[in-house]
Amino acid sequence: MHIPDAFLPLWQSAIYWIVALVFIALALKWAKNELSEDKIPLVAVLSAGIFAIQAFNLPVAMGTSGHLVGGALAAIVLGSPYAAVFILTLVLIIQGIIFGDGGLTTMGVNILNMGVIGGFVGFYGYQTLSGAGLNRYASAGVAAWLACLIAALAAAVEMAIAGTFPLVPGLIAMGTYHAAIGIIEGIITAAAIYFIATARPDMLTDNAATEAAA
């Protein structure tokens, strides 16, 4: 999922960076308006947790890797897809600069895939499924699975556009691995929401706490 340097032409990486910066600016605006002092510890815990679960890496054919994402979890718990963009940006900066996981020129596209796509698909998938009457924890699990899968497919499409590898084999490789990995992510996401709602419902947004307790 972490696209390395040289997998994309610099001009394509620059375009992804520009788009990512728009969402980063919106995420910073969210943090300024919504990130109260009592939520900062939760953001820190989520950031550390997402950093840890992303350490579970499986090699995928054609040179990239598969792993859990965490964007859906951050978005659902904090009640906004911009929370995922904010947290995943922090995580990816640390991974890229300190640990060399993912490229620096391609950090923009990685933020788009894991933070933007992961966060928005996870959040609105959860809202749609729970609004349709699906069990709240099942909604979170399915939304997290979708977020993981769609972010991986987006990465495959981006690398195919760049000519890094063919589209269909890339979709099959990334999709197959992340369809399986996404099951683990769905279970972790549903379990995390359950435990937070049970132990510290005050740490959730009002909407998430009410729905998770339902």
Side-chain angles (χ1 to χ4, degrees):
M1 186 81 76
H2 286 70
I3 300 177
D5 287 320
F7 268 47
L8 303 178
L10 286 177
W11 68 269
Q12 291 184 19
S13 295
I15 292 173
Y16 293 127
W17 256 117
I18 292 170
V19 178
L21 286 171
V22 173
F23 282 96
I24 291 170
L26 293 171
L28 290 173
K29 183 179 179 180
W30 167 84
K32 179 180 179 181
N33 296 333
E34 303 294 334
L35 193 56
S36 56
E37 188 172 330
D38 60 318
K39 288 184 180 178
I40 293 177
L42 181 56
V43 169
V45 169
L46 285 170
S47 300
I50 290 170
F51 185 93
I53 65 173
Q54 287 195 5
F56 171 72
N57 270 283
L58 290 174
V60 177
M62 293 171 286
T64 186
S65 64
H67 57 74
L68 305 173
V69 178
L73 174 62
I76 294 169
V77 170
L78 290 168
S80 172
Y82 293 108
V85 179
F86 182 79
I87 289 175
L88 265 296
T89 298
L90 295 177
V91 169
L92 289 167
I93 288 173
I94 294 172
Q95 289 175 337
I97 294 177
I98 298 179
F99 296 96
D101 194 1
L104 298 182
T105 61
T106 55
M107 191 178 294
V109 73
N110 290 330
I111 290 171
L112 277 178
N113 292 338
M114 288 179 264
V116 178
I117 294 176
F120 276 78
V121 170
F123 180 76
Y124 288 107
Y126 172 74
Q127 293 288 318
T128 300
L129 292 168
S130 60
L134 187 64
N135 175 276
R136 305 308 184 188
Y137 304 115
S139 297
V142 173
W145 178 81
L146 281 171
C148 182
L149 177 62
I150 294 175
L153 295 177
V157 170
E158 291 151 0
M159 286 187 281
I161 293 172
T164 305
F165 53 66
L167 177 62
V168 174
L171 289 172
I172 292 173
M174 291 291 282
T176 301
Y177 274 82
H178 286 87
I181 293 171
I183 295 174
I184 302 172
E185 174 140 6
I187 293 171
I188 291 174
T189 301
I193 292 173
Y194 173 79
F195 287 123
I196 294 173
T198 301
R200 291 290 304 274
D202 57 297
M203 295 183 72
L204 298 170
T205 62
D206 292 339
N207 181 55
T210 300
E211 293 189 348

